[in-house]
Amino acid sequence: MAEAFIVAATRTAAGRRGGKLSGWHPVDLAAQVIDELVRRAGADPALVEDVIMGCVSQTAEQGINVARNAVLASSLPESVPGTSVDRQCGSSQQALHFAAQAVMSGSMDVVIAAGVESMSRVPMFSTSEMPRKAGMGFYMSPAMQQRYPGVEFSQFMGAEMMAKKYELTKDRLDAYALESHRRAAAATQEGRFAREILPVAVRSADGGAEDEGRPHTVDEGIRFNATLEGIAGVKLIQEGGCCTAATASQIADGATGVMVVSERGLKALGAKPLARIHHMTMLGHDPVIMLEAPIPATQAALKKAGMRIDDIDLFEVNEAFAPVPLAWLQATGADPAKLNVHGGAIALGHPLGASGTKLMTTLVHALHARGGRYGLQTMCEGGGMANVTIVERL
């Protein structure tokens, strides 16, 4: 079978809700990433055959096919199409899978997989709660309600269920969150993110940021002076539970992307590959606990790939809530020192549909920096799903 290669990978530094990226229209922010991928690959823009873009809240400024709109706001010619993907938090990871499948099938040679989410401008749940309040109904159909009586799917309930099932105490969750901030702070201070971050101008929603117009290069959610006491003191999300806002991913704005090519694409671009797509798995699981799917998905991916957990040099498991990576570590037996080595979404932010190619960008660059061979990425997704991608550094 033909192979798929990543030749460029980049991301914006995340912005906090109402922060340094909140003045960017998400279409224009995504266009910045598209143009940077073309620049990094040294590609003729006309060689790009498709742009596949993940986005969760596909309404308002992110509606009407945000991928095509980003193409029209970029340097790409009008001949380049675009399509938008919603696999919830794994949307841009799925975009990467679709891009890889396109080039592996031989139908395309150069595809951009990307993601964008402005959670400041298009708030989470906009596509469900706003229509519901307007009397346009709700996504849970009668047949779904019959299958899951009395259940309204909730990531927050899922996080608490995960903590209970895997006997994870609040103290463990707090300690994990602190480590995420410490790793992200160290990676930033050591310049580990410098090669992957695309500087874009600070644009706050009200135009009043102190550094307005200057390059935004540092993930805004990192707490460089985080303490265990400070994290432990944050109010519980649910009375009697153990999760807090401090042990959950941060709401964030951002755009991310990778360029995926075939062997023909490599020759046409004259580019050097960063990594090869080694394996891809998608799996559906229990939508009530919702966040557990990365565990069986990882196990299935390793089995299909003929690999063991110890064969993997680095892991990126999205920190939607601290119980997710902690349960994943417990179930898989992976080495904690290999997991989210530069911190995760608790510190760096989780711009929903942009997080898939965000994690892949960090994973590929970290493999190169550390000399690792194989990297594995996975994340929990609304509806109880997970994608797993295994890449080989080249």
Side-chain angles (χ1 to χ4, degrees), residues 162-175:
M162 289 279 285
K164 184 176 181 180
K165 179 174 180 177
Y166 291 89
E167 299 180 344
L168 300 168
T169 65
K170 182 178 182 299
D171 287 346
R172 283 196 69 190
L173 304 186
D174 291 342

Side-chain angles (χ1 to χ4, degrees), residues 54-137:
C55 183
V56 173
S57 299
Q58 294 185 34
T59 188
E61 292 184 358
Q62 295 173 170
I64 319 297
N65 193 359
V66 67
R68 174 59 174 169
N69 296 336
V71 168
L72 298 178
S74 76
S75 64
L76 297 180
E78 291 178 346
S79 59
V80 179
T83 192
S84 305
V85 176
D86 176 6
R87 201 188 282 275
Q88 295 293 280
C89 295
S91 294
S92 57
Q93 188 172 1
Q94 184 59 52
L96 170 58
H97 283 204
F98 283 152
Q101 289 162 351
V103 302
M104 291 168 74
S105 72
S107 62
M108 294 184 184
D109 294 313
V110 180
V111 181
I112 286 175
V116 67
E117 203 83 39
S118 178
M119 299 179 76
S120 295
R121 300 169 75 92
V122 189
M124 188 164 52
F125 307 126
S126 292
T127 55
S128 61
E129 292 306 317
M130 289 174 64
R132 188 181 194 181
K133 290 176 181 177
M136 297 170 64

